[in-house]
Amino acid sequence: MKKTGFFNIINYSLITLFSLFCALPLALLFMVSLTDEKSIIKNGYQLLPEQFSLEAYKMIFTGGHDIFNSYLVTIFVTVAGTLIAVMITAMAAYTLANKNVSHRNTLSLFFFFTMVFNGGIVPWYIICVKLGLRNNILALIIPSLLFNPFNLFLVRNYMNGIPDSLRESALIDGAGDIRIAFQIYLPLSTPVLAAVSLFYGLAYWNNWWNAIMLVEKKNLYPLQYFLLKLKSELTMLTDLQGSSAVLSTITMPTESLKMATAIITIGPIILLYPYLQRYFVKGLMIGSIKG
Amino acid sequence: MEMKTNLKKLPNSKSGGKGSFIKDIIRNPLSYLLILPAVIYTLIFGYMTLPYMVIAFQKFNFRTGIFNSAWVGFKNFEFFFKSASAATVTWNTVRLNTLFIFFVTVFSVSLAILLNEIKNKWFVKITQSTFLFPHFISWVIASYIIYTLFSYNYGIVNRILGFFSIEPISWYMTPKPWTPILVGMRVWQATGMSVVIYLAAIVGIDGSLYEAAKIDGANRWHQIKHITLPLVMPTVAILTLLSIGKIMYGDFGMFWAIIGDNGILYPTVDVIDTYVFRALRLSGDPSQAMAVGLFQATIGFILVYTTNKIVKKSFSEGALF
């Protein structure tokens, strides 16, 4: 009995320790965003600041036009992209799960092949340029993110579990494949579609690859790219020269403002987290158990 | 791992035989219509990339295109392999990925085993959510976190060093420490997700094994050592092998967000993917970039193929294809 108690104490402490390792860096970011500027200059970044201030958030909400523009870009791209991506995926998954389609395995292979072998980023970039996907909002929606074979297989595996007799009886009642897909299979696949929407949505929300490759116009910067630019300008100024003398000569967003900007971009993720986590774990399980 | 048996589990053909593709399309026109967008997308962004790989042997020019650019043989490869960067970026990619795989696996397997021993459901739920959270955060945000820790002026680490009267270190100008920093960030970001997978594998272990062990007088440590660990090993092996298959690919998002084009740090953190990106977008030489990309893809494909073969041979269920 005594031994179990000892084991438990160690066990709980180790897990708590790792939880802190996961949570503290984000807590730090959050606390710095709430720190008074003078406090930062005096004490550096702190987990428990000497003086709190909401100034950074006030500044963002009153004068941060650039970031709001980026917010709008990201929201639009995420919503539009996810909707189209889920649609494309679900429709294709129905066909791969349709036992009447005798070449469905060849089709699966067709999608799978590009997952293991493709030309990489250089041809991808050339193709995007040729399609005119540069410096427009479509460049943020279409390349890379609009369809992912992994998600396709996830949905297909789930749909394979729907009894075939449903489709057959609908066929007898005169419904076509499109109607069967949209009115029977899609509604029955809600759990996996929710998980897949989450995967797509998150990929869009956190994406800056498309922006760094294909977008130069500032008004098209999605949030993450906006943040990246903001940071690289600041590290260049302060850290590469390794002195604080430069700080005073150049006007730039204040320290807390920078962190506050980072925090408001993860705001939606924090708010949606309970939902995100549930469907994420579910999606992962569907993939590994049924796959 | 998730996509493993996609292609295998289905029956290979219908009892009636396959018939030609065209017949199949005529029989199921609407089904083929439904899959058409995905097919077109894959053709454009997947298969169309393949012919462009030949530009590695050309001096590619956007205006003249793939058919009218001058052929230069292996010059682009020569340029890369003769440069000092070739060895650096290849070694960094393999070295950092190996460290990532090792530490993430060790942490996530240990934590999954520990979590499995805890009976308090509420505690497990909260901690697991905390582990997983960093997975949802982009590398750009992660780079902000690193900045709050390692910034020269205000960074916490330098302040702590100051507390012990150690001179502050200009982290962004010192290459060496970035290996452990990146490994730490990788563990921070990726462990939660692996814990979910390993925990699922552990929960799936037959409970009667533990019952029997208890009757034989095994304590919890014995149970972990002789039941949980051996039974979770196949999953560990499969996931590790599959990651080894991808060892030639650096995580561009991670490296670029954290390091960017800070050349001072290249000796320890420049990877193939960031090198290719710079060749393509900063020095604007697609052929040069493609040569390196082709080198990466070739070794990468051999590795994927080999590791998959090993997985298939040893664990019939985990293979990718």
Side-chain angles (χ1 to χ4, degrees):
Chain A
M1 200 59 212
K2 217 175 180 185
K3 253 190 169 167
T4 327
F6 180 66
F7 179 91
N8 270 338
I9 291 169
I10 294 198
N11 196 356
Y12 275 89
S13 345
L14 286 175
I15 291 174
T16 310
L17 217 60
F18 195 80
S19 302
L20 288 176
F21 172 67
C22 290
L24 280 184
L26 284 157
L28 173 66
L29 201 64
F30 182 64
M31 293 317 281
V32 173
S33 76
L34 289 174
T35 306
D36 186 67
E37 199 60 25
K38 279 181 220 127
S39 195
I40 295 182
I41 291 173
K42 194 170 135 223
N43 305 318
Y45 302 129
Q46 280 179 312
L47 202 52
L48 290 169
E50 211 174 86
Q51 203 161 9
F52 285 95
S53 154
L54 284 172
E55 205 50 43
Y57 288 95
K58 257 187 221 151
M59 271 173 87
I60 293 173
F61 285 107
T62 52
H65 290 300
D66 279 352
I67 181 143
F68 278 116
N69 184 57
S70 290
Y71 229 102
L72 286 180
V73 169
T74 298
I75 290 175
F76 177 75
V77 163
T78 304
V79 172
T82 307
L83 283 177
I84 303 171
V86 171
M87 226 4 122
I88 293 178
T89 308
M91 292 183 337
Y94 169 76
T95 302
L96 292 186
N98 181 353
K99 309 249 172 350
N100 265 357
V101 177
S102 47
H103 283 283
R104 61 186 187 281
N105 286 331
T106 321
L107 286 168
S108 293
L109 199 63
F110 169 84
F111 292 115
F112 181 73
F113 178 75
T114 54
M115 277 173 87
V116 265
F117 197 76
N118 62 68
I121 69 162
V122 182
W124 177 87
Y125 175 71
I126 297 171
I127 288 168
C128 289
V129 171
K130 292 222 154 146
L131 290 173
L133 293 170
R134 289 208 66 193
N135 277 324
N136 54 51
I137 193 98
L138 290 179
L140 298 176
I141 297 180
I142 295 176
S144 301
L145 298 157
L146 203 52
F147 169 69
N148 178 346
F150 169 75
N151 290 338
L152 168 68
F153 293 134
L154 213 61
V155 181
R156 183 206 60 180
N157 290 348
Y158 191 88
M159 285 183 172
N160 273 336
I162 297 173
D164 221 26
S165 51
L166 269 177
R167 192 174 46 79
E168 271 156 21
S169 55
L171 270 178
I172 293 166
D173 290 343
D177 278 318
I178 293 183
R179 245 186 99 173
I180 299 173
F182 281 94
Q183 293 190 348
I184 301 175
Y185 273 67
L186 261 60
L188 283 177
S189 310
T190 325
V192 73
L193 291 180
V196 164
S197 316
L198 167 67
F199 294 153
Y200 279 124
L202 213 63
Y204 273 107
W205 186 269
N206 282 338
N207 178 271
W208 48 276
W209 165 251
N210 286 27
I212 199 174
M213 291 298 281
L214 302 166
V215 164
E216 268 133 42
K217 277 196 209 151
K218 222 175 168 175
N219 62 351
L220 284 174
Y221 283 2
L223 271 182
Q224 303 297 331
Y225 194 51
F226 176 86
L227 271 183
L228 184 75
K229 284 274 185 191
L230 183 71
K231 197 209 76 176
S232 64
E233 281 161 23
L234 290 163
T235 18
M236 283 292 264
L237 290 173
T238 61
D239 269 275
L240 291 184
Q241 279 125 357
S243 79
S244 52
V246 230
L247 269 171
S248 51
T249 56
I250 296 156
T251 46
M252 63 171 93
T254 56
E255 293 299 310
S256 53
L257 184 64
K258 214 163 53 180
M259 304 307 162
T261 314
I263 288 294
I264 66 166
T265 69
I266 46 175
I269 296 181
I270 295 176
L271 290 177
L272 292 173
Y273 190 59
Y275 163 86
L276 291 180
Q277 194 215 358
R278 200 176 56 210
Y279 281 99
F280 183 80
V281 173
K282 237 184 213 168
L284 221 58
M285 293 302 132
I286 293 170
S288 52
I289 291 166
K290 289 213 166 185
Chain B
M1 184 204 66
E2 288 79 11
M3 59 213 113
K4 47 191 183 184
T5 35
N6 295 321
L7 309 171
K8 282 197 304 188
K9 274 203 176 152
L10 290 174
N12 256 333
S13 63
K14 276 199 72 168
S15 46
K18 272 197 171 180
S20 77
F21 236 112
I22 298 169
K23 264 192 207 150
D24 202 22
I25 295 174
I26 292 169
R27 246 199 353 247
N28 303 288
L30 295 178
S31 270
Y32 275 91
L33 190 67
L34 286 169
I35 207 171
L36 194 62
V39 169
I40 293 174
Y41 193 87
T42 308
L43 277 177
I44 295 176
F45 291 102
Y47 287 89
M48 281 247 299
T49 63
L50 300 178
Y52 278 102
M53 292 174 97
V54 301
I55 72 164
F57 305 96
Q58 294 181 330
K59 178 129 196 56
F60 181 76
N61 182 316
F62 271 94
R63 260 182 304 114
T64 51
I66 190 170
F67 294 110
N68 294 309
S69 294
W71 293 88
V72 296
F74 284 90
K75 250 200 185 124
N76 294 316
F77 293 89
E78 247 171 67
F79 179 81
F80 173 65
F81 285 111
K82 277 189 181 154
S83 74
S85 307
T88 313
V89 296
T90 312
W91 169 237
N92 280 344
T93 312
V94 174
R95 180 178 56 94
L96 288 166
N97 274 335
T98 310
L99 290 170
F100 291 168
I101 295 168
F102 177 77
F103 281 100
V104 171
T105 309
V106 167
F107 272 96
S108 46
V109 172
S110 321
L111 286 165
I113 290 176
L114 291 179
L115 273 175
N116 185 50
E117 296 293 322
I118 282 178
K119 300 287 168 280
N120 184 341
K121 281 232 167 87
W122 179 83
F123 182 79
V124 172
K125 226 176 188 169
I126 299 273
T127 46
Q128 220 187 338
S129 303
T130 319
F131 292 176
L132 197 57
F133 191 73
H135 179 78
F136 293 85
I137 302 299
S138 81
W139 281 116
V140 178
I141 305 281
S143 78
Y144 272 72
I145 291 171
I146 292 183
Y147 186 75
T148 57
L149 295 173
F150 296 100
S151 141
Y152 182 81
N153 290 309
Y154 308 127
I156 285 199
V157 176
N158 273 356
R159 295 281 166 162
I160 293 172
L161 291 181
F163 184 77
F164 293 106
S165 337
I166 301 170
E167 280 291 297
I169 295 172
S170 199
W171 298 97
Y172 283 87
M173 293 173 82
T174 323
K176 272 253 158 67
W178 285 89
T179 300
I181 294 174
L182 290 179
V183 171
M185 279 320 269
R186 189 52 165 219
V187 168
W188 177 77
Q189 194 256 3
T191 301
M193 165 125 166
S194 301
V195 168
V196 173
I197 296 172
Y198 287 125
L199 196 56
I202 293 172
V203 169
I205 295 174
D206 188 354
S208 59
L209 289 173
Y210 293 102
E211 299 294 325
K214 259 184 228 161
I215 292 168
D216 289 345
N219 63 23
R220 274 161 110 179
W221 172 242
H222 290 141
Q223 291 171 31
I224 291 174
K225 200 171 143 202
H226 296 292
I227 303 174
T228 317
L229 215 48
L231 286 176
V232 81
M233 264 319 177
T235 314
V236 175
I238 292 169
L239 290 184
T240 307
L241 278 168
L242 293 180
S243 334
I244 290 173
K246 288 180 283 186
I247 213 162
M248 283 295 280
Y249 291 90
D251 184 343
F252 175 83
M254 174 183 189
F255 288 95
W256 195 262
I258 296 172
I259 310 296
D261 52 0
N262 178 359
I264 302 164
L265 303 182
Y266 286 170
T268 56
V269 295
D270 199 18
V271 292
I272 300 179
D273 298 79
T274 43
Y275 182 90
V276 170
F277 173 81
R278 286 200 311 274
L280 176 67
R281 293 294 279 127
L282 304 185
S283 30
D285 189 345
S287 286
Q288 179 59 47
M290 188 65 242
V292 185
L294 192 59
F295 157 68
Q296 180 188 36
T298 312
I299 300 192
F301 186 71
I302 294 171
L303 281 172
V304 171
Y305 188 80
T306 322
T307 50
N308 188 66
K309 244 195 165 144
I310 300 171
V311 171
K312 209 171 181 176
K313 224 174 161 184
S314 335
F315 320 95
S316 56
E317 275 167 31
L320 209 56
F321 51 86

